[in-house]
């Protein structure tokens, strides 16, 4: 059985002071949340140190990053490497988010390089895949997301594949309030699960306008093992309600 993960993707939100305020409100209640749900928060790079300090006595919540470079160091202005993330206590890193693919030229090839570098360093990649609304309308969803998934995992052996997490995020559902029907998300995620050997027990998360109200419909689907949550992860009350509802239906 894949484990269940609730991952918060803060994107370009929260200063260090706001990060501290979030954890002050969130952590005292995190202990009471369903133990079967693994909690990951991915703040911006500038808040990782602050978050790491806040989480020191809270192993219940794990730290994530939103991006990484595949080289350990070098002349790559503006980039951050796996050893740098490890030093900050980062355990998970999102790669291939559609915003990075769209605005920062992230490709299947660089996603694959990042996945490999993370696995070598001992950080769990959360590989995001998803189709545009045009691709969905043209009937290309299944081919698109399975191709993205296979490309991200290209060259990995089955043991390495077992060390990743995947996230299905239909691009048209991200930040729009137009969340994907849970049954349809589950169908697509079943295809993802079977596209490469080794994914049988890998958590596959749904992302795209998940909120405390709709999370239960996802948590009860067989191929959905949690959520990658943007907007609703910024507010401690919303995130707590979301995790509690997910835990009840997982
Ligand atoms: P959203 O973002 O929950 O705000 O739709 C999800 C994501 O981009 O990971």
């Amino acid at each position: 059985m894949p484990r269940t993960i609730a991952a918060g993707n803060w994107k370009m939100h929260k200063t260090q002071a706001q990060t501290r305020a979030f954890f002050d409100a969130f952590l005292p209640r995190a202990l009471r949340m369903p133990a079967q749900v693994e909690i990951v928060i991915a703040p911006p790079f500038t808040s990782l140190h602050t978050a790491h300090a806040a989480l020191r006595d809270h192993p219940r919540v794990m730290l994530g990053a939103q991006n990484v470079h595949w080289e350990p160091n070098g002349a790559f202005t503006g980039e951050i490497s796996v050893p740098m993330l490890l030093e900050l206590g980062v355990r998970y890193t999102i790669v291939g988010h559609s915003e990075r693919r769209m605005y920062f030229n992230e490709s299947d090839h660089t996603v694959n390089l990042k996945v490999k570098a993370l696995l070598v360093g001992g950080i769990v990649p959360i590989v995001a895949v998803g189709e545009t609304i045009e691709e969905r309308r043209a009937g290309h969803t299944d081919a698109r997301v399975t191709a993205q998934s296979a490309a991200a995992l290209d060259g990995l052996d089955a043991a390495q594949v077992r060390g990743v997490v995947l996230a299905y995020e239909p691009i048209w559902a991200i930040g729009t309030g137009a969340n994907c029907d849970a049954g349809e998300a589950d169908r697509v995620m079943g295809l993802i699960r079977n596209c490469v050997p080794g994914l049988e027990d890998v958590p596959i998360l749904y992302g795209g306008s998940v909120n405390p109200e709709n999370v239960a419909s996802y948590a009860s689907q067989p191929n959905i093992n949690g959520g990658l949550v943007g907007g609703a992860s910024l507010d401690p009350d919303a995130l707590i309600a979301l995790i509690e509802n997910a835990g009840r239906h997982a």
Side-chain angles (χ1 to χ4, degrees):
M1 265 288 278
R3 62 196 192 280
T4 303
I5 300 173
N9 171 16
W10 283 1
K11 310 191 180 187
M12 196 170 71
H13 293 287
K14 294 199 193 289
T15 62
Q16 294 190 69
Q18 291 166 334
T19 298
R20 224 172 280 121
F22 175 92
F23 284 115
D24 283 347
F26 182 76
L27 288 175
R29 293 149 77 189
L31 276 180
R32 286 192 269 118
M33 283 185 275
Q36 70 273 26
V37 182
E38 218 170 279
I39 304 169
V40 179
I41 305 278
F45 288 133
T46 46
S47 281
L48 284 175
H49 180 70
T50 299
H52 184 40
L55 295 176
R56 194 152 292 145
D57 300 321
H58 292 271
R60 181 79 189 77
V61 181
M62 274 167 288
L63 197 53
Q66 299 174 20
N67 185 28
V68 69
H69 193 276
W70 54 90
E71 292 292 341
N73 50 56
F76 301 103
T77 302
E79 294 294 313
I80 304 282
S81 72
V82 173
M84 294 170 187
L85 296 180
L86 281 170
E87 199 177 42
L88 286 162
V90 168
R91 307 272 299 277
Y92 285 85
T93 295
I94 302 164
V95 294
H97 191 282
S98 60
E99 287 151 16
R100 296 218 55 89
R101 293 182 194 254
M102 257 188 306
Y103 307 135
F104 304 101
N105 300 321
E106 188 132 314
S107 67
D108 284 342
H109 177 60
T110 58
V111 170
N112 180 245
L113 293 174
K114 292 175 184 196
V115 167
K116 287 173 175 162
L118 287 164
L119 288 171
V120 167
I123 295 178
V124 179
I126 301 177
V127 182
V129 301
E131 81 285 2
T132 64
I133 192 64
E134 292 79 19
E135 287 165 342
R136 172 159 285 269
R137 287 189 182 130
H140 297 156
T141 298
D142 301 1
R144 182 77 183 121
V145 300
T146 51
Q148 280 181 328
S149 305
L153 307 176
D154 187 45
L156 304 188
D157 61 34
Q160 289 173 310
V161 169
R162 280 192 278 276
V164 308
V165 170
L166 288 171
Y168 171 52
E169 299 204 305
I171 297 170
W172 46 272
I174 295 177
T176 59
N179 59 304
C180 182
D181 169 77
E184 167 60 9
D186 184 69
R187 184 192 70 78
V188 175
M189 291 160 80
L191 298 174
I192 293 173
R193 189 172 302 288
N194 288 309
C195 77
V196 167
L199 288 177
E200 299 77 21
D201 289 323
V202 158
I204 307 183
L205 317 181
Y206 168 77
S209 297
V210 179
N211 61 39
E213 287 73 44
N214 64 27
V215 71
S217 68
Y218 297 105
S220 50
Q221 301 288 336
N223 283 305
I224 304 185
N225 312 115
L228 181 54
V229 185
S233 74
L234 295 171
D235 172 50
D237 294 334
L239 187 59
I240 284 163
L242 192 153
I243 294 167
E244 282 173 347
N245 290 344
R248 260 197 291 281
H249 294 87

